[in-house]
Amino acid sequence: MTSMLSEKQAAMRDVFGDVLLELSKADPRVLALDGDLANSTKLDKVAEHNPSQFLQMGIAEQNMLSVAAGLAAVGFQPWTCSFAAFISKRAIDQIQVNVAQPKLDVKMVGAYSGLLTGCTGKTHQALEDIAMMRSLAHMVVLAPADGIEVRRVMEFAHQYNGPVYIRLARDPLPYLFDDSHTFTLGKGVQVKSGSHVTIISTGTETVRALQAAELLEGEGIRAAVLHMPSIKPIDHEAIIRAAETTGAIVTAEEHSIIGGLGSAVAEVLVENRPVPMRRVGVRDLNAESGSNEALLKKFGIAPEHIAEAVREVLARKV
């Protein structure tokens, strides 16, 4: 089987910095709010090339989100950015009360999400941010899979009037899509067809889902891969159709299995079309420092773990 993954790679944070600079130059309403991590998140591109629309908020995430709410209330479109662990867990009350409840036009970008954060350790890793954000009324939650989709998601968020949380990763990932790729809120993307099982993945884990599908192909197992860049709202129709077509579902995410993509998919299935299902994600554990390969293996979200989950769920398929 020929790999669907491109040899070309890009880091989401680099694309994010480039696109936000473009948006800020094209739209005077767009402001970049930094939590003193601009060199890591690449907000420094705005600071260097469009400083009048860059605001340094310091290591004070709660204040940053409160300021963003005030700016949005008077017509600006603030883009707040920090590590996913900080912007979600430290500022959740301000996000809920000041941003989500009044449905203000604030964009929240969680960089350095999941396990692979450059050996920063569990204080800097976010495995709960999807669960937290998707529980808030009015909140849109997005997790792009590659650099192309980062651009498309940001273009959507710029046009959308309301709170949006975008989950980004630190390290370079292969391209899945080309420039013709489009993003539609609430819609999944079928990146591989298959008849035996459907792997539903989001964000960084979609690359690993495709790698798992390639492993399974050698065993005669044809796995479909359905990428979910839009976690909230989620594509109910695509999930139900996958259950009806393949009769078995595996979900995959670089996030806790509690409250994330797997939970969202399970909610749809149990109410509409129950089928054998297995969730691949971090299983009620705190993360830790380590190399990317070591962390993926230890916490059970590498391609081989997705492939094993497929074998397990197929054994239960009627």
Side-chain angles (χ1 to χ4, degrees):
M1 176 183 177
T2 303
S3 176
M4 300 177 64
L5 300 172
S6 170
E7 293 183 0
K8 182 181 178 183
Q9 295 191 347
M12 290 182 177
R13 55 182 178 157
D14 286 325
V15 178
F16 164 70
D18 290 338
V19 176
L20 192 57
L21 176 60
E22 293 171 15
L23 293 176
S24 70
K25 286 185 172 181
D27 185 347
R29 299 178 306 122
V30 171
L31 301 176
L33 276 63
D34 173 44
D36 200 25
L37 286 167
N39 61 331
S40 296
T41 64
K42 303 306 178 183
L43 272 184
D44 56 359
K45 296 182 181 184
V46 181
E48 180 179 357
H49 298 292
N50 194 12
S52 65
Q53 286 170 246
F54 174 86
L55 299 175
Q56 177 55 260
M57 307 307 299
I59 307 174
E61 292 81 9
Q62 296 99 325
N63 182 62
M64 178 169 68
L65 268 298
S66 295
V67 170
L71 290 168
V74 295
F76 290 100
Q77 185 182 79
W79 286 67
T80 61
C81 184
S82 183
F83 285 9
F86 304 154
I87 201 167
S88 62
K89 290 181 279 188
R90 289 186 179 175
I92 189 64
D93 183 57
Q94 285 73 21
I95 291 171
Q96 181 186 24
V97 174
N98 296 342
V99 175
Q101 287 182 357
K103 201 178 178 181
L104 291 176
D105 191 24
V106 176
K107 314 309 171 188
M108 291 145 282
V109 179
Y112 282 56
S113 66
L115 288 172
L116 311 186
T117 59
C119 294
T120 55
K122 60 188 175 184
T123 58
H124 288 51
Q125 292 161 315
L127 301 175
E128 314 85 3
D129 53 318
I130 293 174
M132 296 171 68
M133 291 296 188
R134 81 178 188 94
S135 69
L136 301 181
H138 306 312
M139 185 66 68
V140 168
V141 180
L142 309 176
D146 72 354
I148 294 290
E149 198 165 56
V150 170
R151 175 176 287 276
R152 297 293 175 260
V153 159
M154 291 180 69
E155 290 168 348
F156 156 79
H158 178 233
Q159 297 300 321
Y160 177 82
N161 184 18
V164 177
Y165 177 69
I166 302 174
R167 191 178 207 246
L168 302 182
R170 174 185 184 272
D171 293 338
L173 288 166
Y175 276 95
L176 296 180
F177 307 114
D178 59 26
D179 289 333
S180 66
H181 178 63
T182 60
F183 168 80
T184 303
L185 181 65
K187 293 298 180 182
V189 182
Q190 190 85 29
V191 292
K192 182 183 177 299
S193 60
S195 56
H196 294 144
V197 62
T198 301
I199 304 170
I200 303 178
S201 55
T202 192
T204 55
E205 201 71 0
T206 294
V207 166
R208 297 173 203 127
L210 278 170
Q211 291 168 336
E214 292 173 8
L215 291 173
L216 293 164
E217 197 83 7
E219 304 171 23
I221 298 172
R222 294 187 294 278
V225 178
L226 176 62
H227 168 56
M228 286 289 181
S230 179
I231 301 169
K232 185 188 178 189
I234 202 163
D235 194 338
H236 287 65
E237 292 181 1
I239 294 169
I240 296 167
R241 186 165 56 249
E244 292 173 343
T245 323
T246 63
I249 302 291
V250 169
T251 60
E253 58 194 311
E254 193 179 328
H255 183 274
S256 171
I257 61 165
I258 301 169
L261 174 74
S263 295
V265 171
E267 291 160 11
V268 175
L269 292 177
V270 76
E271 291 185 349
N272 296 279
R273 187 65 166 81
V275 295
M277 178 183 172
R278 180 82 157 77
R279 293 169 298 156
V280 174
V282 178
R283 307 190 76 80
D284 198 22
L285 295 167
N286 290 315
E288 59 187 82
S289 290
S291 69
N292 287 0
E293 184 178 357
L295 290 174
L296 292 175
K297 289 183 176 179
K298 176 165 184 175
F299 290 94
I301 62 171
E304 56 264 34
H305 298 109
I306 302 173
E308 182 57 31
V310 166
R311 298 183 194 103
E312 291 175 9
V313 82
L314 285 176
R316 296 191 282 118
K317 182 178 173 181
V318 178

